[in-house]
Amino acid sequence: MIEIDAVTVSFGGVTALNRLSVQLDAPVVGIIGPNGAGKTTFLNVLSGFVTPNSGRIRAFGQELTRLQPHQRAQWGLRRSFQKEQAVDELTVEDNIRVVLDSLALSRGAVEDALTRALEFTGINAVRHRSVAGLNAFERRMTELARCVAGSPKLILLDEPGAGFSQSEVETLRSVINGISETIGARTFLIDHDVDLIQATCQRTMVLDFGTLVTYGETAAVLADPRVRAVYLGMEET
């Protein structure tokens, strides 16, 4: 259970999150809303990159609010970004080692975790290649491998499906759907691809101007007339 309690974030005169309170309790939670709704700010608060003006965050009984980003990573939080962060000059496996080297693992445990992450994301065949030589989808899967490596507890994905073909998105769906059972982590997913949200997220929250509009089972949320009209651009007839 991830508990968000009255979290407020303001940047100057703009309130990016407005006393946001919600209990997120599904293996994969979708986060949707229009541009400027506060979705990425929410992930930044969870990651520790943005400090809320007020409010608390607890995950599985652990108070996260005062932890620095590196402490949250050691605890088990992983994050991908809209623009992937893999290092071009390193090989695929060395990009993943960077994450694992920050954890208190033996050399053998690091190698096991590395191989599991590569195999789970389907990129074991390119593990020795430089990231600079990969295509966009392989780079994205390298980013996901970094997220699932080392027994994470919470994985935050910010628009991982943007710009990919249908077959590539289907592969991505399969990986996201396998995270809970295979890796044992919860996942929060921001994406504008409603099909991806429907295919992976058991529950979905909707934000607008930093305020929670609704949270519930994904099918019910996407069928809500407010969501359909305002966020999906579908007027009722």
Side-chain angles (χ1 to χ4, degrees), residues 111-131:
E111 295 306 312
D112 288 344
L114 173 62
T115 298
R116 286 199 303 272
L118 289 164
E119 291 179 346
F120 177 72
T121 52
I123 56 172
N124 196 41
V126 298
R127 65 186 296 167
H128 300 301
R129 290 177 56 186
S130 168
V131 166

Side-chain angles (χ1 to χ4, degrees), residues 12-198:
V14 177
T15 301
L17 294 176
N18 185 14
R19 292 191 59 81
L20 179 64
S21 294
V22 63
Q23 294 185 344
L24 304 170
D25 53 0
V28 186
V29 172
I31 304 171
I32 65 173
N35 291 335
K39 304 184 298 296
T40 296
T41 298
F42 178 60
L43 293 197
N44 286 339
V45 169
L46 288 172
S47 305
F49 299 134
V50 170
T51 301
N53 300 82
S54 60
R56 299 175 59 201
I57 303 166
R58 291 177 62 84
F60 313 113
Q62 169 68 51
E63 178 71 43
L64 297 184
T65 315
R66 298 183 183 278
L67 296 184
Q68 296 300 310
H70 73 278
Q71 295 172 314
R72 300 186 197 204
Q74 292 170 343
W75 169 81
L77 189 146
R78 303 284 187 274
R79 168 81 184 273
S80 76
F81 297 82
Q82 294 179 21
K83 180 176 174 56
E84 45 83 9
Q85 303 292 303
V87 181
D88 284 350
E89 294 77 14
L90 297 180
T91 63
V92 170
E93 67 172 32
D94 283 343
N95 265 275
I96 302 168
R97 286 183 196 278
V98 169
V99 174
L100 295 171
D101 285 347
S102 67
L103 308 178
L105 299 175
S106 68
R107 186 171 184 177
V110 167
E111 295 306 312
D112 288 344
L114 173 62
T115 298
R116 286 199 303 272
L118 289 164
E119 291 179 346
F120 177 72
T121 52
I123 56 172
N124 196 41
V126 298
R127 65 186 296 167
H128 300 301
R129 290 177 56 186
S130 168
V131 166
L134 301 182
N135 63 39
F137 187 67
E138 290 168 335
R139 292 171 67 93
R140 177 59 71 188
M141 298 311 287
T142 299
E143 187 90 341
L144 279 174
R146 285 161 52 93
C147 286
V148 303
S151 301
K153 296 181 177 70
L154 179 59
I155 296 174
L156 314 178
L157 304 179
D158 196 346
E159 297 192 33
F164 297 124
S165 69
Q166 185 61 38
S167 64
E168 289 169 337
V169 172
E170 288 175 0
T171 299
L172 178 63
R173 289 178 187 175
S174 178
V175 171
I176 294 173
N177 280 327
I179 287 175
S180 177
E181 182 176 351
T182 304
I183 306 300
R186 299 286 181 90
T187 303
F188 292 173
L189 170 65
I190 294 175
D191 212 284
H192 290 290
D193 184 344
V194 175
D195 290 338
L196 180 62
I197 294 291
Q198 288 179 312

